[in-house]
Amino acid sequence: MNAADRMLDRYAELAVKIGVNVQPGQTLVINAPLCTAELVRKIAKTAYLTGAKHVYTEWTDDELTRLQYDLAPYEALTEYPMWRAKAYEELAENGAAFLFIIATDPDLLKGVNPERIAAADKAMRTAMYTFRNYTMNNSVSWSVIAAPSPAWAAKVFPNLPESEQVSALWNAIFRATRTDVDDPVTAWQNHQAALNEKVTYLNGKQYRCLHFKAPGTDLSVQLPPGHRWQGGASVTANGVPFTANIPTEEVYTAPLKDGVNGVVSSTMPLSHNGNLIENFTLRFERGRIVEVTAETGFDVLQKLIETDEGSRYLGEVALVPHQSPISQSNLIFYNTLIDENASNHLAIGNAYPVCLEGGDNLSPEEMEQRGLNTSLMHVDFMIGSAEMDIDGELADGTREPIFRNGNWAF
């Protein structure tokens, strides 16, 4: 076995044992691009050897996706196959685990009318809303990992010869996910323990507000009563730990829906629906986005926040030190799964109910009553830098440093 095969085997083991944490007799559902077939086969083999009963794979393809947006009638983009949504719901109800592998070209839909993209995205999110609640409530184990495609690798490493781009991106992903160490599973267990220390500290503080200051950013984010910080491994309703994102360097919670005020500037490109949004700002009043600017992708950003009423509010605030391994790589991956773990970030749209004490099974109405936002959307964007300071405000108005110069202050 050569070195590349050994690394893929390690990555597959991480996905199965740390990501979705497949249990004996469980079904694993894999959603993956065609270009990741070799990895998917290794994941399936590892899952079966771990005790999986079934491994189902749903394949996707960038070229077919682009053909649909270019050639399908507009009406077709407003429809989503409910048989697919119902299948995912049934699998979730029966306790399946779900692994999503992403390798999409960041510029896949460049030049497509934003209205067509927004229509298809809204149709998909509406149809998959019930299934998404299974994941956002941690009712099932699920995980998202990345694998290179030629187009994505070319975007990240444009100055390398074409023959070297995919292997360079593989190596970057292996470093970002700790796959390149001798014992990745143990390394992840230690990393999750370190994240849990931050979670425990912040939950003990129960700050009523966070204050973000950096060039182009002056933002206050209130936190709801009974908020809970999360980070590292999550746990399903029946007690199975899993890691929703590999890599992950964040601890996160949900903001008070109407408690966000000020302006925030992006510090990394946002790849959304096959388009890049770059150098953008959002201004908030009482939680609502009231003004947006963007050097690139303004129309895409505008359509995003117009999806529904909740897409004008935030659903997540996440803290990531600037000295994290991904940030220190000095790479822009043009992929939110990885880039968000290089930077403090916020998310437009739906909040995670698990970010409230006793919130695991809240209905959307109950979430709103307790101060959380609900939306079809949940889109992370990066705001952190080496120049960012964050203060936590206690119930008595006292402020304490949480971040200084982009890194933890405690």
Side-chain angles (χ1 to χ4, degrees):
M1 180 183 295
N2 61 35
D5 274 339
R6 284 195 295 272
M7 293 296 276
L8 277 182
D9 284 340
R10 288 180 177 182
Y11 197 42
E13 184 180 25
L14 272 183
V16 171
K17 296 183 178 180
I18 295 294
V20 288
N21 192 8
V22 170
Q23 300 296 294
Q26 191 175 26
T27 292
L28 173 63
V29 181
I30 305 173
N31 182 288
L34 291 174
C35 64
T36 66
E38 182 180 4
L39 173 62
V40 171
R41 295 184 191 110
K42 288 182 177 292
I43 289 170
K45 179 179 178 180
T46 304
Y48 281 127
L49 292 174
T50 303
K53 182 179 182 181
H54 300 291
V55 178
Y56 300 135
T57 304
E58 183 176 25
W59 298 103
T60 61
D61 178 68
D62 275 3
E63 291 188 35
L64 287 174
T65 299
R66 180 68 196 227
L67 284 172
Q68 179 190 26
Y69 280 98
D70 283 342
L71 303 177
Y74 180 83
E75 180 185 4
L77 298 174
T78 67
E79 301 170 350
Y80 190 83
M82 288 307 299
W83 57 264
R84 183 177 184 272
K86 293 299 182 183
Y88 270 71
E89 291 171 23
E90 181 179 329
L91 287 161
E93 289 166 4
N94 291 324
F98 298 85
L99 179 66
F100 302 90
I101 303 176
I102 54 175
T104 301
D105 175 4
D107 293 316
L108 176 64
L109 301 185
K110 186 176 182 178
V112 175
N113 186 329
E115 288 191 10
R116 290 174 66 84
I117 298 171
D121 190 47
K122 185 171 184 177
M124 180 274 292
R125 291 176 183 274
T126 300
M128 297 292 284
Y129 185 79
T130 299
F131 170 72
R132 188 186 62 165
N133 283 341
Y134 279 105
T135 60
M136 298 197 81
N137 289 329
N138 292 344
S139 298
V140 297
S141 61
W142 60 282
S143 188
V144 185
I145 65 172
S149 64
W152 179 24
K155 183 74 175 181
V156 180
F157 296 103
N159 297 321
L160 287 181
E162 184 177 344
S163 61
E164 298 176 15
Q165 290 170 340
V166 169
S167 61
L169 185 50
W170 263 128
N171 289 334
I173 290 171
F174 290 149
R175 287 193 297 271
T177 57
R178 295 174 170 80
T179 307
D180 61 343
V181 303
D182 290 339
D183 187 349
V185 171
T186 298
W188 266 91
Q189 292 168 343
N190 294 336
H191 174 53
Q192 290 174 333
L195 289 175
N196 286 337
E197 290 180 3
K198 301 299 185 186
V199 166
T200 299
Y201 177 89
L202 291 169
N203 279 333
K205 286 292 185 178
Q206 282 295 296
Y207 292 116
R208 72 179 182 186
C209 189
L210 304 179
H211 299 272
F212 294 78
K213 288 280 289 187
T217 292
D218 187 355
L219 189 73
S220 65
V221 179
Q222 289 181 259
L223 303 178
H227 67 270
R228 303 297 296 169
W229 289 87
Q230 306 284 341
S234 302
V235 180
T236 66
N238 57 353
V240 176
F242 68 96
T243 304
N245 291 345
I246 295 179
T248 185
E249 303 287 338
E250 67 176 337
V251 297
Y252 64 94
T253 191
L256 186 67
K257 178 177 180 177
D258 60 2
V260 182
N261 291 278
V263 64
V264 65
S265 297
S266 68
T267 53
M268 301 180 76
L270 168 62
S271 178
H272 178 65
N273 284 342
N275 283 271
L276 288 177
I277 308 169
E278 299 179 274
N279 298 321
F280 60 94
T281 66
L282 303 176
R283 186 165 65 85
F284 293 83
E285 291 180 3
R286 297 181 181 178
R288 198 170 193 268
I289 299 171
V290 295
E291 183 181 356
V292 301
T293 68
E295 286 187 11
T296 304
F298 175 82
D299 290 343
V300 177
L301 179 59
Q302 191 68 39
K303 289 297 180 183
L304 189 165
I305 67 171
E306 291 175 351
T307 302
D308 56 23
E309 181 60 20
S311 58
R312 288 189 175 273
Y313 295 81
L314 294 181
E316 179 186 337
V317 53
L319 307 183
V320 180
H322 184 69
Q323 64 186 14
S324 70
I326 298 168
S327 177
Q328 296 306 299
S329 74
N330 294 316
L331 290 173
I332 297 176
F333 286 87
Y334 302 98
N335 182 297
T336 301
L337 170 68
I338 303 180
D339 285 336
E340 73 171 7
N341 288 295
S343 169
N344 293 316
H345 54 274
L346 306 170
I348 293 169
N350 205 63
Y352 286 96
V354 294
C355 289
L356 279 179
E357 190 72 50
D360 297 37
N361 296 306
L362 293 180
S363 68
E365 294 75 20
E366 291 169 329
M367 286 174 62
E368 292 278 352
Q369 290 169 6
R370 293 190 59 181
L372 297 195
N373 187 39
T374 59
S375 173
L376 293 174
M377 307 301 293
H378 182 93
V379 178
D380 298 276
F381 63 97
M382 288 62 75
I383 65 168
S385 71
E387 300 175 274
M388 176 163 278
D389 292 339
I390 306 173
D391 286 342
E393 182 180 328
L394 295 165
D396 63 3
T398 304
R399 290 194 184 190
E400 299 178 341
I402 298 177
F403 266 56
R404 287 293 180 267
N405 300 318
N407 292 305
W408 292 109
F410 61 85

